[in-house]
Amino acid sequence: MAGVHVRKSPFDKKLCDLIFFDKGGRDLPAAKTKSIERNFFGEEYRRASYEKVGTLNFPERALESYTDSFIKCIDTEAIRKARLRVAIDYSYGAAAAIFPSIIGGLGVDVISLNAFLDPSKFTRTAEEFFAAAERLSEVVVSLGYDIGFMLDGGAERIHVADEKGNFLEHQRLLTLITYLYLEVYPETKKIAVPITASMEVDDICRERNVQVVRTGDSHSELMRAVTADPEIGFVGGTKGGFIFPKFLFAVDGMFSAAKIMELIAKSKTRIGELAARMPERYFLVKRNVACPKDLKGKVMRKIMEDTAEHYRVLIDGVKIIYDNETSLLLLPDRERDIFHINAESRTKSRAARLVSEYEKKLNEWIAE
């Protein structure tokens, strides 16, 4: 038994994605998906005989089952009492057919944007995204709403505008939601975040004696962490995806939006107010270096040799921890011909200096 999800790519209008799941519903790891690709394009797979062709099963009453589980995992009474006012941009995607009926029962004053299915608009260009973000921010501010959510076309990830109309960068959003979650659920023992997450998350958890589990920078790695450790109560990604294991072991934009409403209601704190009280503790500087796929292995070996004297974390790529205030992540992109260089420090100048230093080194190693 296994599963497959076919969708239009949220990143490229000309592509469709095939996402394979194992028998437990988790994303297949990268090694297995690459093996499937090699077998398919090489036509090295076995042909099933007529009597052994498999079947496709479509679960009955899936929407009703989803909605029941959704409501059971949300404190609906707290949201009703808060009388929140929320703007939601559905991005012409799947959530427009599901979320309105759910949120309608939460006593929330909602204004909806782009709340109808349109496959031709499922994938947004950068210009279209920023224009939509600006419209959502304008709606939130002009109507005095508490928060604005933009769901991506597949209803997996969210973008958030606070009550002041500020569109929150994903790393900042992760920090704020982590803080709110631990305030509302102080019994939490562990959370999980990818290796790319800011050290601010570690600081927040250290202050509350909560263990941080670091994972690889992919949805499948986040899912694997949740299913492997039942003590993990919350998983936050750096691309707008959140996992709440009591509901589902995968990212879900609709549930994430509802859960954030619950956190706001129970903490009596709006996102913009919290952001003002919590100035950013670190500066994050990012840069990408072009690197052909066939040279990534060589570059990784050079990085390992160059950083041998430093403390390193090798969960995904190479993360060098210089001290409690500075770190550097060198991460080869899984799909594109680039290397990511992410430096984080209490001072912007040190982060920028590290990025420039390793940008120069990577270019030299690639050119050798």
Side-chain angles (χ1 to χ4, degrees):
M1 292 290 290
V4 61
H5 174 51
V6 183
R7 71 175 187 186
K8 284 193 67 177
S9 170
F11 309 110
D12 190 331
K13 291 183 177 182
K14 298 178 181 179
L15 297 179
C16 283
D17 295 331
L18 293 176
I19 303 173
F20 292 93
F21 309 109
D22 64 18
K23 63 181 180 180
R26 296 179 295 270
D27 291 359
L28 286 183
K32 286 190 176 181
T33 58
K34 288 180 180 178
S35 176
I36 291 172
E37 287 183 353
R38 283 196 301 270
N39 289 332
F40 178 77
F41 288 110
E43 297 187 2
E44 297 173 357
Y45 45 85
R46 290 186 303 167
R47 271 69 171 178
S49 59
Y50 180 81
E51 63 275 7
K52 291 184 179 180
V53 172
T55 59
L56 291 175
N57 296 319
F58 298 90
E60 297 179 0
R61 303 183 64 83
L63 181 55
E64 290 87 345
S65 175
Y66 172 86
T67 302
D68 288 344
S69 298
F70 191 113
I71 296 300
K72 288 176 182 176
C73 294
I74 292 287
D75 190 338
T76 55
E77 189 59 30
I79 297 175
R80 288 193 188 97
K81 287 181 178 178
R83 302 176 65 84
L84 296 173
R85 296 169 297 171
V86 180
I88 301 176
D89 184 342
Y90 288 92
S91 302
Y92 309 100
I98 303 169
F99 201 32
S101 63
I102 296 176
I103 200 171
L106 300 180
V108 178
D109 183 3
V110 181
I111 185 167
S112 300
L113 307 175
N114 306 315
F116 58 93
L117 290 169
D118 187 343
S120 67
K121 297 180 180 179
F122 184 88
T123 305
R124 281 174 164 167
T125 63
E127 293 78 11
E128 290 169 339
F129 170 80
F130 289 119
E134 186 175 348
R135 283 197 300 273
L136 180 62
S137 296
E138 289 172 353
V139 168
V140 171
V141 174
S142 62
L143 297 180
Y145 274 29
D146 297 298
I147 194 169
F149 296 102
M150 181 190 291
L151 298 163
D152 70 359
E156 295 176 326
R157 292 174 172 79
I158 59 172
H159 303 270
V160 173
D162 67 19
E163 72 276 11
K164 300 173 185 177
N166 298 316
F167 230 71
L168 298 171
E169 190 270 332
H170 286 320
Q171 289 276 11
R172 183 62 169 160
L173 178 63
L174 172 58
T175 298
L176 298 175
I177 299 307
T178 299
Y179 180 92
L180 278 181
Y181 186 87
L182 296 180
E183 285 290 297
V184 174
Y185 295 99
E187 70 279 7
T188 303
K189 295 180 180 179
K190 298 179 183 178
I191 71 165
V193 295
I195 193 68
T196 50
S198 169
M199 292 190 294
E200 284 187 329
V201 173
D202 298 273
D203 289 351
I204 291 169
C205 291
R206 192 179 303 114
E207 293 161 2
R208 291 161 178 77
N209 200 29
V210 175
Q211 182 181 342
V212 178
V213 177
R214 291 279 179 165
T215 76
D217 186 33
S218 69
H219 183 227
S220 61
E221 291 295 323
L222 294 173
M223 294 172 74
R224 191 168 292 109
V226 170
T227 53
D229 191 342
E231 289 191 334
I232 293 175
F234 165 75
V235 180
T238 56
K239 300 169 186 174
F242 298 94
I243 298 176
F244 298 91
K246 289 185 179 180
F247 171 64
L248 188 65
F249 54 76
V251 296
D252 185 310
M254 293 180 288
F255 189 83
S256 296
K259 197 67 177 181
I260 291 172
M261 291 182 222
E262 179 199 291
L263 298 178
I264 292 171
K266 298 181 82 168
S267 66
K268 296 181 173 60
T269 304
R270 296 195 294 182
I271 296 293
E273 295 170 356
L274 179 61
R277 295 205 315 260
M278 287 180 59
E280 296 184 57
R281 306 181 188 186
Y282 299 92
F283 291 93
L284 178 63
V285 179
K286 299 180 179 181
R287 205 165 296 166
N288 294 331
V289 173
C291 178
K293 284 185 174 65
D294 58 347
L295 294 181
K296 287 180 179 178
K298 166 190 165 184
V299 172
M300 282 294 291
R301 289 192 295 274
K302 292 286 188 179
I303 291 171
M304 292 298 290
E305 293 170 4
D306 187 75
T307 61
E309 297 181 359
H310 297 286
Y311 176 72
R312 300 173 299 194
V313 179
L314 305 178
I315 294 172
D316 198 355
V318 179
K319 188 167 189 175
I320 305 108
I321 310 296
Y322 292 97
D323 49 47
N324 289 334
E325 298 185 349
T326 306
S327 67
L328 174 72
L329 176 64
L330 302 168
L331 180 66
D333 193 282
R334 283 183 168 84
E335 298 179 1
R336 296 175 291 170
D337 290 343
I338 59 174
F339 240 94
H340 301 285
I341 308 175
N342 298 353
E344 190 174 27
S345 181
R346 293 275 190 181
T347 62
K348 189 173 183 178
S349 59
R350 187 177 185 189
R353 188 166 60 251
L354 279 171
V355 167
S356 296
E357 176 187 342
Y358 274 88
E359 179 184 27
K360 181 180 178 182
K361 287 183 177 181
L362 259 65
N363 281 322
E364 289 174 352
W365 294 332
I366 293 167
E368 287 179 358

